[in-house]
Amino acid sequence: ELFDRACQLEIGGEHLEAMKLFAAAVRVDPQPRFLRRAASCALAARQPRTAVEYAKKAHSLAPNDTSAARLLAAAFRAAGKLSDAEEVLVMAMALKSENDTLTAELRHDLAEVRRLLAQS
């Protein structure tokens, strides 16, 4: 119930309020999909450190999930940790994925992170 209410708030653009409910939902039941959604909400709320925390937990629970890895890389990137983002994306590219769209998105994300690293 907490998770569903948090999702409704997030969809309505009330990210900070949604984050409170996501935090409660994660405390009650820290399953990967709750953590991923909380991380996405934190990114939308411009809370990169919180996004990194949630994304790390989600990735640790599902280390072979390329979507979780991509989310972790996005959180690292938002937090300004480009080297960490690059490392996660390289590892994600090594995972077996039958989703061609996700693979293309990972490639694009990696190219963008490397472009940003080259500029810094």
Side-chain angles (χ1 to χ4, degrees):
E1 183 183 334
L2 288 170
F3 179 76
D4 292 338
R5 288 187 11 227
C7 290
Q8 291 304 314
L9 286 170
E10 181 187 20
I11 290 167
E14 298 179 51
H15 298 107
L16 294 176
E17 288 302 312
M19 284 179 59
K20 293 174 188 174
L21 292 180
F22 281 128
V26 165
R27 276 193 302 275
V28 171
D29 187 8
Q31 57 180 286
R33 74 183 182 107
F34 288 6
L35 290 160
R36 284 193 307 267
R37 189 70 183 259
S40 294
C41 183
L43 285 173
R46 293 183 172 82
Q47 302 289 322
R49 277 188 272 166
T50 302
V52 167
E53 289 174 31
Y54 284 132
K56 277 182 176 179
K57 289 175 186 172
H59 184 65
S60 71
L61 293 173
N64 295 320
D65 180 348
T66 51
S67 299
R70 184 172 186 234
L71 181 59
L72 177 57
F76 277 141
R77 183 175 164 190
K81 298 180 178 187
L82 296 175
S83 295
D84 291 336
E86 179 185 34
E87 182 181 331
V88 169
L89 289 167
V90 168
M91 288 189 306
M93 292 290 297
L95 295 172
K96 184 178 178 178
S97 174
E98 295 179 16
N99 184 333
D100 293 339
T101 302
L102 181 58
T103 301
E105 289 170 346
L106 287 169
R107 253 190 244 112
H108 176 268
D109 292 352
L110 182 57
E112 181 62 17
V113 166
R114 286 182 170 162
R115 183 186 69 76
L116 292 170
L117 278 167
Q119 290 179 349
S120 56

